[in-house]
Protein backbone atom coordinates (compact mmCIF):
# COMPACT_ATOMS: atom_id res chain seq x y z
CA UNK A 1 0.00 0.00 0.00
CA UNK A 2 1.40 3.42 -0.85
CA UNK A 3 1.59 5.95 1.98
CA UNK A 4 -0.32 9.20 2.01
CA UNK A 5 2.99 10.98 1.71
CA UNK A 6 3.80 9.28 -1.59
CA UNK A 7 0.36 9.68 -3.12
CA UNK A 8 -0.26 13.29 -2.18
CA UNK A 9 -1.00 15.77 -4.96
CA UNK A 10 1.35 18.74 -4.92
CA UNK A 11 -0.47 22.04 -4.72
CA UNK A 12 1.07 25.07 -6.32
CA UNK A 13 1.64 27.93 -3.94
CA UNK A 14 1.06 28.62 -0.24
CA UNK A 15 1.59 32.02 1.35
CA UNK A 16 2.20 32.27 5.09
CA UNK A 17 1.69 35.66 6.76
CA UNK A 18 4.16 36.02 9.64
CA UNK A 19 7.58 34.48 10.28
CA UNK A 20 7.10 33.94 14.01
CA UNK A 21 7.10 30.53 15.67
CA UNK A 22 3.86 29.40 14.04
CA UNK A 23 4.59 30.76 10.55
CA UNK A 24 8.01 29.07 10.44
CA UNK A 25 6.59 25.78 11.77
CA UNK A 26 3.71 25.89 9.29
CA UNK A 27 6.09 26.56 6.39
CA UNK A 28 8.06 23.47 7.36
CA UNK A 29 5.03 21.17 7.09
CA UNK A 30 3.84 22.87 3.88
CA UNK A 31 7.05 21.75 2.19
CA UNK A 32 5.43 18.32 1.93
CA UNK A 33 2.40 19.55 0.04
CA UNK A 34 3.22 22.67 -1.99
CA UNK A 35 5.58 23.33 -4.85
CA UNK A 36 6.23 26.86 -3.65
CA UNK A 37 5.95 28.36 -0.17
CA UNK A 38 6.37 32.04 0.59
CA UNK A 39 6.55 33.39 4.13
CA UNK A 40 6.24 37.13 4.47
CA UNK A 41 6.96 39.22 7.52
CA UNK A 42 6.76 42.94 8.09
CA UNK A 43 10.09 42.87 9.98
CA UNK A 44 13.65 42.72 8.79
CA UNK A 45 14.57 39.19 9.80
CA UNK A 46 18.04 39.00 11.36
CA UNK A 47 20.44 36.15 10.55
CA UNK A 48 20.98 35.32 14.23
CA UNK A 49 19.23 35.86 17.56
CA UNK A 50 18.34 39.55 17.65
CA UNK A 51 15.39 41.60 18.83
CA UNK A 52 12.81 42.74 16.28
CA UNK A 53 9.76 44.96 16.52
CA UNK A 54 7.21 42.34 15.37
CA UNK A 55 7.70 40.16 18.47
CA UNK A 56 7.82 42.59 21.42
CA UNK A 57 7.09 39.64 23.73
CA UNK A 58 10.66 38.41 23.11
CA UNK A 59 11.86 40.81 25.81
CA UNK A 60 10.05 38.67 28.39
CA UNK A 61 10.64 35.15 29.69
CA UNK A 62 9.85 32.38 27.20
CA UNK A 63 9.81 28.80 28.49
CA UNK A 64 9.42 26.03 25.94
CA UNK A 65 7.45 23.24 27.62
CA UNK A 66 8.17 19.59 26.93
CA UNK A 67 5.56 18.99 24.23
CA UNK A 68 6.59 22.07 22.26
CA UNK A 69 10.24 21.09 22.57
CA UNK A 70 9.48 17.62 21.19
CA UNK A 71 7.33 18.97 18.35
CA UNK A 72 9.90 21.57 17.29
CA UNK A 73 12.64 18.94 17.40
CA UNK A 74 10.46 16.72 15.21
CA UNK A 75 9.86 19.50 12.71
CA UNK A 76 13.48 20.67 12.75
CA UNK A 77 15.63 17.65 13.71
CA UNK A 78 18.62 18.75 15.79
CA UNK A 79 16.83 21.86 17.07
CA UNK A 80 17.05 20.92 20.77
CA UNK A 81 20.70 19.91 20.64
CA UNK A 82 21.50 23.24 19.01
CA UNK A 83 19.41 25.17 21.55
CA UNK A 84 21.38 23.60 24.41
CA UNK A 85 24.70 23.90 22.60
CA UNK A 86 24.03 27.63 22.20
CA UNK A 87 23.41 28.03 25.91
CA UNK A 88 19.72 27.18 26.41
CA UNK A 89 18.96 25.26 29.63
CA UNK A 90 16.96 22.04 29.78
CA UNK A 91 15.62 21.76 33.35
CA UNK A 92 13.35 19.48 35.32
CA UNK A 93 11.56 22.41 36.94
CA UNK A 94 10.43 20.98 40.32
CA UNK A 95 13.87 19.45 40.81
CA UNK A 96 16.12 22.21 39.51
CA UNK A 97 14.06 25.22 40.52
CA UNK A 98 12.98 26.97 43.72
CA UNK A 99 9.19 26.85 43.33
CA UNK A 100 6.79 28.50 45.76
CA UNK A 101 3.19 27.36 45.26
CA UNK A 102 0.21 29.01 46.99
CA UNK A 103 0.37 26.33 49.72
CA UNK A 104 4.15 26.40 50.21
CA UNK A 105 7.51 25.39 48.74
CA UNK A 106 7.82 22.56 46.27
CA UNK A 107 9.94 19.74 47.74
CA UNK A 108 12.64 19.31 45.10
CA UNK A 109 11.68 16.16 43.14
CA UNK A 110 11.99 15.00 39.58
CA UNK A 111 8.92 15.22 37.35
CA UNK A 112 10.54 13.41 34.42
CA UNK A 113 9.74 16.33 32.07
CA UNK A 114 12.29 18.73 30.63
CA UNK A 115 11.41 22.37 30.00
CA UNK A 116 13.77 24.56 27.95
CA UNK A 117 14.83 28.05 28.93
CA UNK A 118 16.39 30.36 26.36
CA UNK A 119 15.64 33.76 24.90
CA UNK A 120 12.80 33.79 22.46
CA UNK A 121 15.24 35.37 19.97
CA UNK A 122 17.54 32.34 20.13
CA UNK A 123 14.70 29.81 19.90
CA UNK A 124 13.19 31.52 16.87
CA UNK A 125 16.53 32.15 15.14
CA UNK A 126 17.44 28.45 15.20
CA UNK A 127 14.09 27.51 13.68
CA UNK A 128 14.35 30.27 11.05
CA UNK A 129 17.88 29.31 10.00
CA UNK A 130 16.96 25.64 9.73
CA UNK A 131 13.94 26.47 7.59
CA UNK A 132 16.05 28.70 5.34
CA UNK A 133 18.69 25.98 4.98
CA UNK A 134 16.03 23.60 3.69
CA UNK A 135 15.96 25.83 0.62
CA UNK A 136 12.32 25.12 -0.25
CA UNK A 137 10.80 28.18 1.39
CA UNK A 138 11.14 31.77 0.30
CA UNK A 139 11.10 34.24 3.20
CA UNK A 140 10.25 37.83 2.29
CA UNK A 141 11.27 40.27 5.03
CA UNK A 142 9.92 43.85 5.29
CA UNK A 143 6.75 42.75 3.54
CA UNK A 144 3.51 43.50 5.33
CA UNK A 145 0.26 41.76 4.46
CA UNK A 146 -2.44 44.38 3.94
CA UNK A 147 -5.45 42.25 3.04
CA UNK A 148 -6.72 39.14 1.32
CA UNK A 149 -6.87 39.00 -2.46
CA UNK A 150 -9.97 37.63 -4.18
CA UNK A 151 -9.93 37.04 -7.93
CA UNK A 152 -12.83 38.86 -9.66
CA UNK A 153 -13.81 35.66 -11.51
CA UNK A 154 -13.96 33.59 -8.28
CA UNK A 155 -15.36 35.89 -5.61
CA UNK A 156 -16.07 33.18 -3.04
CA UNK A 157 -12.45 32.15 -2.50
CA UNK A 158 -9.25 33.70 -1.23
CA UNK A 159 -6.74 33.69 -4.08
CA UNK A 160 -3.80 35.42 -2.45
CA UNK A 161 -2.55 38.30 -0.33
CA UNK A 162 -2.11 42.00 -0.90
CA UNK A 163 1.17 43.12 0.61
CA UNK A 164 3.23 46.27 0.92
CA UNK A 165 7.01 46.27 0.90
CA UNK A 166 8.13 48.50 3.73
CA UNK A 167 10.60 51.33 3.25
CA UNK A 168 9.07 52.61 0.02
CA UNK A 169 8.97 49.28 -1.84
CA UNK A 170 6.28 48.10 -4.21
CA UNK A 171 2.71 47.03 -3.51
CA UNK A 172 2.42 43.33 -4.34
CA UNK A 173 -0.32 40.82 -4.88
CA UNK A 174 0.89 37.30 -4.19
CA UNK A 175 -1.40 34.72 -5.77
CA UNK A 176 -1.81 31.58 -3.66
CA UNK A 177 -3.82 28.37 -3.47
CA UNK A 178 -3.80 28.61 0.33
CA UNK A 179 -3.18 31.62 2.58
CA UNK A 180 -2.18 30.89 6.19
CA UNK A 181 -2.47 33.69 8.71
CA UNK A 182 0.28 33.29 11.30
CA UNK A 183 0.58 36.97 12.13
CA UNK A 184 0.08 36.52 15.85
CA UNK A 185 -1.78 38.54 18.47
CA UNK A 186 -2.02 41.60 16.23
CA UNK A 187 -3.60 39.67 13.33
CA UNK A 188 -5.92 41.75 11.16
CA UNK A 189 -7.72 38.66 9.85
CA UNK A 190 -11.14 39.60 11.32
CA UNK A 191 -11.16 42.98 9.57
CA UNK A 192 -9.81 41.47 6.33
CA UNK A 193 -12.63 38.92 6.37
CA UNK A 194 -15.23 41.58 7.20
CA UNK A 195 -14.06 43.78 4.33
CA UNK A 196 -14.76 40.89 1.94
CA UNK A 197 -18.24 40.38 3.40
CA UNK A 198 -17.15 36.98 4.77
CA UNK A 199 -18.17 35.48 8.10
CA UNK A 200 -16.06 36.74 11.02
CA UNK A 201 -15.38 34.52 14.05
CA UNK A 202 -16.82 35.58 17.38
CA UNK A 203 -14.37 35.96 20.25
CA UNK A 204 -14.29 34.53 23.76
CA UNK A 205 -12.17 36.47 26.21
CA UNK A 206 -10.99 35.68 29.72
CA UNK A 207 -8.95 38.49 31.22
CA UNK A 208 -7.63 38.47 34.77
CA UNK A 209 -5.99 41.87 34.20
CA UNK A 210 -2.46 40.58 34.40
CA UNK A 211 0.82 42.21 33.39
CA UNK A 212 4.56 41.51 33.20
CA UNK A 213 7.59 43.66 34.04
CA UNK A 214 10.90 42.10 33.04
CA UNK A 215 14.56 42.96 33.42
CA UNK A 216 17.61 41.15 32.10
CA UNK A 217 20.67 40.50 34.27
CA UNK A 218 24.16 39.20 33.78
CA UNK A 219 24.52 36.31 36.24
CA UNK A 220 27.66 36.18 38.42
CA UNK A 221 30.35 33.67 37.49
CA UNK A 222 29.81 31.80 40.78
CA UNK A 223 26.85 31.70 43.13
CA UNK A 224 26.90 31.43 46.95
CA UNK A 225 26.90 27.77 48.06
CA UNK A 226 23.32 27.84 49.39
CA UNK A 227 21.94 28.99 46.03
CA UNK A 228 21.34 25.60 44.43
CA UNK A 229 18.39 26.56 42.23
CA UNK A 230 18.78 27.26 38.53
CA UNK A 231 15.43 29.00 38.17
CA UNK A 232 12.85 30.55 40.49
CA UNK A 233 9.06 30.56 40.37
CA UNK A 234 7.06 32.38 43.06
CA UNK A 235 3.28 32.06 42.70
CA UNK A 236 1.05 34.88 43.93
CA UNK A 237 -1.40 34.09 46.72
CA UNK A 238 -4.56 36.21 46.54
CA UNK A 239 -5.78 34.61 49.80
CA UNK A 240 -2.82 36.26 51.55
CA UNK A 241 -3.23 39.50 49.60
CA UNK A 242 -0.22 38.76 47.37
CA UNK A 243 -1.30 39.61 43.83
CA UNK A 244 2.19 39.76 42.36
CA UNK A 245 4.41 36.76 41.74
CA UNK A 246 7.78 36.54 40.03
CA UNK A 247 10.13 34.28 38.12
CA UNK A 248 13.79 34.03 37.21
CA UNK A 249 14.61 32.09 34.06
CA UNK A 250 18.21 31.39 33.03
CA UNK A 251 18.97 32.05 29.37
CA UNK A 252 22.03 31.71 27.14
CA UNK A 253 25.21 33.75 27.65
CA UNK A 254 25.05 33.54 31.47
CA UNK A 255 22.05 35.82 31.68
CA UNK A 256 18.86 35.76 33.70
CA UNK A 257 15.49 37.28 32.93
CA UNK A 258 13.60 38.27 36.06
CA UNK A 259 9.90 38.93 35.55
CA UNK A 260 7.29 40.25 37.95
CA UNK A 261 3.79 39.01 37.13
CA UNK A 262 0.82 40.90 38.57
CA UNK A 263 -2.85 39.89 38.60
CA UNK A 264 -6.21 41.54 39.24
CA UNK A 265 -4.91 44.95 38.04
CA UNK A 266 -1.92 44.81 40.40
CA UNK A 267 0.35 45.62 37.48
CA UNK A 268 4.03 45.41 38.48
CA UNK A 269 6.05 48.63 38.39
CA UNK A 270 8.24 49.45 35.42
CA UNK A 271 10.62 51.91 37.12
CA UNK A 272 13.91 50.63 38.56
CA UNK A 273 13.27 51.54 42.16
CA UNK A 274 9.71 50.19 42.15
CA UNK A 275 10.78 46.98 40.38
CA UNK A 276 13.51 46.27 42.93
CA UNK A 277 11.28 47.15 45.89
CA UNK A 278 8.51 44.86 44.59
CA UNK A 279 10.98 41.97 44.22
CA UNK A 280 11.59 42.30 47.96
CA UNK A 281 7.87 42.40 48.77
CA UNK A 282 7.03 39.04 47.17
CA UNK A 283 6.18 36.01 49.29
CA UNK A 284 9.89 35.13 49.41
CA UNK A 285 12.83 37.57 49.19
CA UNK A 286 14.96 35.24 47.04
CA UNK A 287 14.23 37.02 43.76
CA UNK A 288 15.46 40.30 45.22
CA UNK A 289 18.54 38.49 46.47
CA UNK A 290 19.17 37.06 42.99
CA UNK A 291 18.75 40.54 41.48
CA UNK A 292 21.41 41.79 43.89
CA UNK A 293 23.75 38.96 42.89
CA UNK A 294 23.34 39.79 39.19
CA UNK A 295 24.09 42.92 37.18
CA UNK A 296 21.18 44.60 35.38
CA UNK A 297 21.83 44.81 31.64
CA UNK A 298 18.49 46.07 30.33
CA UNK A 299 15.79 48.58 31.05
CA UNK A 300 12.56 47.26 32.54
CA UNK A 301 10.11 46.11 29.88
CA UNK A 302 6.38 45.98 30.50
CA UNK A 303 3.62 44.02 28.80
CA UNK A 304 -0.07 43.77 29.43
CA UNK A 305 -0.70 41.43 26.48
CA UNK A 306 -1.82 38.71 28.86
CA UNK A 307 -5.48 38.16 28.12
CA UNK A 308 -6.80 34.82 26.89
CA UNK A 309 -8.68 35.28 23.63
CA UNK A 310 -10.11 32.57 21.41
CA UNK A 311 -11.50 33.38 17.97
CA UNK A 312 -14.11 30.72 17.22
CA UNK A 313 -13.11 29.97 13.61
CA UNK A 314 -14.30 26.43 14.37
CA UNK A 315 -17.86 27.75 14.71
CA UNK A 316 -18.00 29.48 11.31
CA UNK A 317 -20.80 28.05 9.19
CA UNK A 318 -18.98 28.96 5.97
CA UNK A 319 -15.29 29.64 6.45
CA UNK A 320 -13.86 31.40 3.42
CA UNK A 321 -12.20 28.82 1.15
CA UNK A 322 -8.48 29.27 0.62
CA UNK A 323 -7.81 30.87 3.99
CA UNK A 324 -6.85 29.45 7.41
CA UNK A 325 -5.41 31.00 10.56
CA UNK A 326 -3.43 29.41 13.35
CA UNK A 327 -1.73 29.83 16.71
CA UNK A 328 -1.90 33.33 18.26
CA UNK A 329 -4.02 34.72 15.44
CA UNK A 330 -6.68 32.21 16.57
CA UNK A 331 -5.94 31.78 20.28
CA UNK A 332 -3.81 33.73 22.72
CA UNK A 333 -3.13 32.63 26.30
CA UNK A 334 -2.01 34.29 29.46
CA UNK A 335 1.71 33.68 28.86
CA UNK A 336 2.43 32.64 32.44
CA UNK A 337 1.28 29.12 31.53
CA UNK A 338 3.99 28.87 28.85
CA UNK A 339 1.76 27.36 26.16
CA UNK A 340 2.10 29.74 23.16
CA UNK A 341 5.13 28.34 21.33
CA UNK A 342 3.89 24.81 21.89
CA UNK A 343 0.51 25.70 20.40
CA UNK A 344 2.40 27.27 17.47
CA UNK A 345 4.12 23.95 16.74
CA UNK A 346 0.93 21.96 17.35
CA UNK A 347 -0.98 24.23 14.95
CA UNK A 348 1.52 23.36 12.23
CA UNK A 349 1.05 19.66 12.95
CA UNK A 350 -2.73 20.09 12.65
CA UNK A 351 -2.26 21.75 9.27
CA UNK A 352 -0.10 18.81 8.22
CA UNK A 353 -2.56 16.14 9.35
CA UNK A 354 -5.48 17.98 7.72
CA UNK A 355 -3.59 18.25 4.41
CA UNK A 356 -2.82 14.53 4.66
CA UNK A 357 -6.50 13.64 4.92
CA UNK A 358 -8.42 16.29 3.00
CA UNK A 359 -7.61 17.73 -0.41
CA UNK A 360 -7.23 21.46 -0.38
CA UNK A 361 -9.84 21.94 -3.09
CA UNK A 362 -12.43 19.83 -1.25
CA UNK A 363 -15.34 21.82 0.08
CA UNK A 364 -15.00 21.72 3.82
CA UNK A 365 -11.18 21.68 3.99
CA UNK A 366 -11.13 24.86 6.05
CA UNK A 367 -13.94 23.68 8.35
CA UNK A 368 -12.11 20.39 9.01
CA UNK A 369 -8.89 22.29 9.70
CA UNK A 370 -10.48 24.72 12.16
CA UNK A 371 -12.29 21.87 13.94
CA UNK A 372 -9.05 19.88 14.26
CA UNK A 373 -7.21 22.97 15.48
CA UNK A 374 -9.83 23.61 18.12
CA UNK A 375 -9.58 20.05 19.40
CA UNK A 376 -5.78 20.36 19.56
CA UNK A 377 -5.77 23.58 21.59
CA UNK A 378 -8.83 23.29 23.80
CA UNK A 379 -7.00 21.62 26.71
CA UNK A 380 -4.47 24.45 26.80
CA UNK A 381 -7.33 26.96 26.59
CA UNK A 382 -9.25 25.30 29.42
CA UNK A 383 -6.17 25.10 31.68
CA UNK A 384 -5.31 28.77 31.23
CA UNK A 385 -8.83 30.17 31.41
CA UNK A 386 -10.04 28.08 34.34
CA UNK A 387 -7.04 29.26 36.39
CA UNK A 388 -7.38 32.91 35.34
CA UNK A 389 -11.12 33.09 35.98
CA UNK A 390 -10.44 32.57 39.66
CA UNK A 391 -8.65 35.89 40.17
CA UNK A 392 -10.89 38.55 41.70
CA UNK A 393 -12.44 40.85 39.12
CA UNK A 394 -11.55 38.60 36.16
CA UNK A 395 -13.61 39.36 33.07
CA UNK A 396 -14.92 36.18 31.50
CA UNK A 397 -17.14 35.25 28.56
CA UNK A 398 -17.16 31.66 29.89
CA UNK A 399 -18.92 30.09 32.87
CA UNK A 400 -16.84 30.16 36.06
CA UNK A 401 -15.38 26.85 37.31
CA UNK A 402 -17.52 25.08 39.90
CA UNK A 403 -16.46 24.98 43.56
CA UNK A 404 -15.48 21.37 43.09
CA UNK A 405 -13.31 22.18 40.02
CA UNK A 406 -11.60 24.97 41.98
CA UNK A 407 -10.97 22.66 44.93
CA UNK A 408 -9.59 19.99 42.60
CA UNK A 409 -7.24 22.53 40.95
CA UNK A 410 -6.03 23.78 44.35
CA UNK A 411 -5.57 20.21 45.55
CA UNK A 412 -3.34 19.39 42.58
CA UNK A 413 -1.10 22.38 43.30
CA UNK A 414 -1.07 21.48 47.00
CA UNK A 415 -0.30 17.77 46.67
CA UNK A 416 2.25 18.02 43.87
CA UNK A 417 4.53 20.01 46.21
CA UNK A 418 5.25 16.90 48.31
CA UNK A 419 3.68 13.82 46.65
CA UNK A 420 6.14 12.45 44.06
CA UNK A 421 3.50 10.25 42.42
CA UNK A 422 1.10 13.17 41.89
CA UNK A 423 3.93 15.34 40.57
CA UNK A 424 5.04 12.63 38.14
CA UNK A 425 1.51 12.15 36.79
CA UNK A 426 0.39 15.78 36.71
CA UNK A 427 3.49 17.30 35.12
CA UNK A 428 2.91 15.72 31.67
CA UNK A 429 -0.49 17.43 31.62
CA UNK A 430 0.98 20.83 32.52
CA UNK A 431 3.66 20.38 29.89
CA UNK A 432 1.05 19.36 27.30
CA UNK A 433 2.20 15.77 26.75
CA UNK A 434 -1.06 14.31 28.07
CA UNK A 435 -4.68 15.46 27.88
CA UNK A 436 -6.30 17.11 30.91
CA UNK A 437 -8.73 14.19 31.19
CA UNK A 438 -5.86 12.08 32.54
CA UNK A 439 -6.03 14.20 35.71
CA UNK A 440 -9.35 12.50 36.40
CA UNK A 441 -8.07 8.92 36.31
CA UNK A 442 -9.73 7.51 39.48
CA UNK A 443 -6.61 6.57 41.41
CA UNK A 444 -4.89 9.90 40.73
CA UNK A 445 -8.04 11.95 41.38
CA UNK A 446 -8.61 10.16 44.72
CA UNK A 447 -5.00 10.78 45.77
CA UNK A 448 -5.26 14.45 44.80
CA UNK A 449 -8.57 14.97 46.61
CA UNK A 450 -7.45 13.21 49.79
CA UNK A 451 -4.14 15.06 49.80
CA UNK A 452 -5.89 18.35 49.10
CA UNK A 453 -8.40 17.85 51.92
CA UNK A 454 -5.67 16.83 54.39
CA UNK A 455 -3.52 19.81 53.40
CA UNK A 456 -6.43 22.20 53.72
CA UNK A 457 -7.30 20.86 57.18
CA UNK A 458 -3.66 21.14 58.30
CA UNK A 459 -3.47 24.71 57.02
CA UNK A 460 -6.68 25.60 58.87
CA UNK A 461 -5.99 23.92 62.21
CA UNK A 462 -2.19 24.12 62.39
CA UNK A 463 -1.33 27.18 60.28
CA UNK A 464 2.38 27.65 59.74
CA UNK A 465 3.93 30.60 57.92
CA UNK A 466 5.65 29.83 54.62
CA UNK A 467 9.43 29.88 55.22
CA UNK A 468 11.13 32.70 53.32
CA UNK A 469 13.68 30.38 51.70
CA UNK A 470 13.30 27.18 49.68
CA UNK A 471 14.08 23.74 51.11
CA UNK A 472 17.72 22.61 50.86
CA UNK A 473 19.40 21.30 47.74
CA UNK A 474 18.01 17.99 46.42
CA UNK A 475 20.24 14.94 46.84
CA UNK A 476 20.64 14.22 43.12
C1 LIG B 1 4.78 38.59 27.44
C2 LIG B 1 4.69 37.25 26.75
C3 LIG B 1 5.41 36.16 27.24
C4 LIG B 1 5.30 34.91 26.64
N1 LIG B 1 5.92 33.83 27.19
C5 LIG B 1 5.80 32.61 26.62
C6 LIG B 1 6.41 31.47 27.18
O1 LIG B 1 7.03 31.51 28.25
N2 LIG B 1 6.28 30.28 26.52
C7 LIG B 1 5.57 30.17 25.36
O2 LIG B 1 5.50 29.07 24.81
N3 LIG B 1 4.96 31.23 24.82
C8 LIG B 1 5.04 32.44 25.42
N4 LIG B 1 4.42 33.52 24.86
C9 LIG B 1 3.58 33.32 23.67
C10 LIG B 1 4.40 33.25 22.40
O3 LIG B 1 5.21 34.38 22.23
C11 LIG B 1 3.42 33.16 21.22
O4 LIG B 1 2.33 32.36 21.55
C12 LIG B 1 4.06 32.54 20.03
O5 LIG B 1 5.12 33.34 19.64
C13 LIG B 1 3.03 32.44 18.92
O6 LIG B 1 3.63 32.51 17.73
P1 LIG B 1 2.96 33.19 16.47
O7 LIG B 1 3.85 32.80 15.36
O8 LIG B 1 1.51 32.87 16.38
O9 LIG B 1 3.05 34.76 16.72
P2 LIG B 1 4.35 35.65 16.83
O10 LIG B 1 5.48 34.86 17.30
O11 LIG B 1 3.94 36.86 17.59
O12 LIG B 1 4.70 36.06 15.33
C14 LIG B 1 3.88 36.85 14.52
C15 LIG B 1 4.72 37.33 13.34
O13 LIG B 1 3.85 37.95 12.39
C16 LIG B 1 4.47 39.13 11.89
N5 LIG B 1 3.38 39.98 11.41
C17 LIG B 1 2.37 40.52 12.13
N6 LIG B 1 1.50 41.17 11.33
C18 LIG B 1 1.98 41.02 10.06
C19 LIG B 1 1.53 41.45 8.77
N7 LIG B 1 0.40 42.18 8.61
N8 LIG B 1 2.27 41.13 7.69
C20 LIG B 1 3.42 40.40 7.82
N9 LIG B 1 3.89 39.97 9.01
C21 LIG B 1 3.17 40.27 10.11
C22 LIG B 1 5.25 39.67 13.08
O14 LIG B 1 6.31 40.51 12.67
C23 LIG B 1 5.76 38.36 13.71
O15 LIG B 1 6.99 37.97 13.14
C24 LIG B 1 4.49 34.77 25.48
C25 LIG B 1 3.78 35.86 24.97
C26 LIG B 1 3.85 37.08 25.61
C27 LIG B 1 3.02 38.23 25.08
Amino acid sequence: MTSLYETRVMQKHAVVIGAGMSGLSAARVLERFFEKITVLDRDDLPAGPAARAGVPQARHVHALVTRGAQELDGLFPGFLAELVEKGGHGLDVPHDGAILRPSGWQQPMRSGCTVYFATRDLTESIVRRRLREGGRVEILPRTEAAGLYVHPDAPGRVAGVHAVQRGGGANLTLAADLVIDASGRSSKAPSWLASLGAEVPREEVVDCHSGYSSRWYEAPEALPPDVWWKMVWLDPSPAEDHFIGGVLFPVEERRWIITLIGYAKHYPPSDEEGFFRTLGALRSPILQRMAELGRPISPIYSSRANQNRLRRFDKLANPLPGFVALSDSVCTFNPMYGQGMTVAALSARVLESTLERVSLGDPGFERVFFGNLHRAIKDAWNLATSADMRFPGAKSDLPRPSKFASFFGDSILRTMTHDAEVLRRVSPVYYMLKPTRSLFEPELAARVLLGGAAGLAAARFHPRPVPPNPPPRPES
Side-chain angles (χ1 to χ4, degrees):
M1 204 175 94
T2 44
S3 74
L4 283 166
Y5 186 84
E6 286 156 349
T7 56
R8 74 190 189 265
V9 179
M10 275 278 187
Q11 310 288 338
K12 283 189 237 105
H13 188 198
V15 171
V16 181
I17 304 168
M21 292 306 292
S22 65
L24 299 170
S25 302
R28 169 46 50 101
V29 306
L30 293 169
E31 289 178 351
R32 287 186 49 199
F33 303 93
F34 287 82
E35 284 156 20
K36 186 173 171 203
I37 303 119
T38 308
V39 181
L40 47 98
D41 200 286
R42 61 187 177 189
D43 272 358
D44 236 341
L45 298 168
R52 58 190 187 86
V55 283
Q57 71 266 38
R59 295 181 294 197
H60 300 275
V61 283
H62 263 71
L64 178 61
V65 302
T66 320
R67 177 69 183 275
Q70 291 180 359
E71 293 293 348
L72 283 174
D73 206 49
L75 289 168
F76 301 94
F79 159 80
L80 279 180
E82 185 176 348
L83 189 73
V84 171
E85 188 213 314
K86 294 203 159 133
H89 303 257
L91 303 180
D92 190 332
V93 170
H95 180 265
D96 298 327
I99 315 293
L100 180 58
R101 293 293 179 202
S103 60
W105 289 101
Q106 171 72 48
Q107 292 304 313
M109 290 183 290
R110 291 194 188 278
S111 70
C113 298
T114 305
V115 176
Y116 290 84
F117 298 88
T119 62
R120 159 65 192 254
D121 293 335
L122 176 63
T123 306
E124 185 185 287
S125 73
I126 294 174
V127 167
R128 189 168 58 235
R129 202 206 66 243
R130 283 172 177 265
L131 184 73
R132 274 182 171 143
E133 278 171 6
R136 293 262 291 105
V137 174
E138 183 185 28
I139 302 184
L140 296 180
R142 297 167 66 81
T143 307
E144 180 162 7
L148 300 172
Y149 164 63
V150 172
H151 194 281
D153 296 341
R157 180 176 185 88
V158 171
V161 176
H162 296 298
V164 181
Q165 284 183 319
R166 299 181 92 180
N171 290 345
L172 310 170
T173 298
L174 296 162
D177 303 276
L178 181 65
V179 173
I180 297 104
D181 177 30
S183 61
R185 278 180 183 255
S186 62
S187 165
K188 303 278 188 308
S191 57
W192 294 342
L193 291 171
S195 71
L196 295 174
E199 231 185 313
V200 177
R202 69 176 165 80
E203 292 187 357
E204 291 170 356
V205 173
V206 174
D207 189 356
C208 70
H209 309 290
S210 163
Y212 273 26
S213 285
S214 298
R215 193 169 203 192
W216 296 39
Y217 292 78
E218 181 186 66
E221 273 177 38
L223 287 166
D226 65 311
V227 178
W228 56 263
W229 49 87
K230 298 187 179 117
M231 52 89 62
V232 179
W233 182 287
L234 307 178
D235 269 337
S237 176
E240 298 164 299
D241 225 17
H242 276 285
F243 286 93
I244 301 186
V247 301
L248 176 153
F249 287 1
V251 296
E252 68 277 6
E253 295 174 8
R254 200 160 45 78
R255 292 174 294 173
W256 295 330
I257 305 177
I258 296 184
T259 295
L260 286 167
I261 310 174
Y263 299 83
K265 297 194 180 166
H266 292 255
Y267 296 110
S270 54
D271 64 292
E272 292 186 9
E273 196 267 323
F275 184 84
F276 187 73
R277 187 174 17 86
T278 307
L279 286 175
L282 301 178
R283 293 170 60 222
S284 158
I286 63 166
L287 270 183
Q288 193 184 51
R289 183 175 170 214
M290 298 298 279
E292 282 174 319
L293 290 170
R295 184 176 70 84
I297 51 171
S298 81
I300 294 162
Y301 306 112
S302 288
S303 169
R304 293 191 183 178
N306 284 14
Q307 67 170 205
N308 304 283
R309 188 204 54 216
L310 176 60
R311 295 193 169 126
R312 297 304 305 261
F313 280 96
D314 59 302
K315 295 280 188 199
L316 295 181
N318 295 300
L320 198 57
F323 174 78
V324 294
L326 38 79
S327 195
D328 274 21
S329 57
V330 175
C331 188
T332 62
F333 304 91
N334 183 339
M336 74 142 302
Y337 306 106
Q339 300 161 316
M341 293 189 292
T342 296
V343 166
L346 285 176
S347 299
R349 287 298 195 190
V350 170
L351 186 59
E352 178 179 48
S353 61
T354 309
L355 283 162
E356 275 171 350
R357 287 169 180 79
V358 187
S359 293
L360 183 55
D362 280 4
F365 170 85
E366 294 74 15
R367 201 186 344 264
V368 173
F369 169 76
F370 285 124
N372 290 344
L373 183 65
H374 186 74
R375 277 186 288 283
I377 65 181
K378 79 176 185 325
D379 265 8
W381 171 253
N382 289 340
L383 272 178
T385 54
S386 58
D388 276 6
M389 273 190 265
R390 300 185 52 206
F391 283 97
K395 171 185 175 305
S396 175
D397 294 334
L398 306 175
R400 310 262 157 188
S402 66
K403 280 197 170 144
F404 174 77
S406 299
F407 175 70
F408 191 67
D410 287 346
S411 298
I412 289 176
L413 283 181
R414 196 180 278 283
T415 47
M416 66 194 271
T417 58
H418 57 271
D419 184 327
E421 174 70 6
V422 171
L423 181 73
R424 191 183 60 75
R425 290 176 64 177
V426 164
S427 300
V429 178
Y430 282 3
Y431 301 138
M432 298 172 70
L433 294 165
K434 283 192 171 178
T436 45
R437 67 171 181 278
S438 54
L439 295 175
F440 302 101
E441 284 162 11
E443 190 208 327
L444 175 62
R447 198 171 174 121
V448 163
L449 290 171
L450 279 175
L456 199 59
R460 187 161 298 162
F461 298 115
H462 306 286
R464 274 185 296 172
V466 170
N469 289 303
R473 180 196 294 273
E475 292 297 305
S476 59

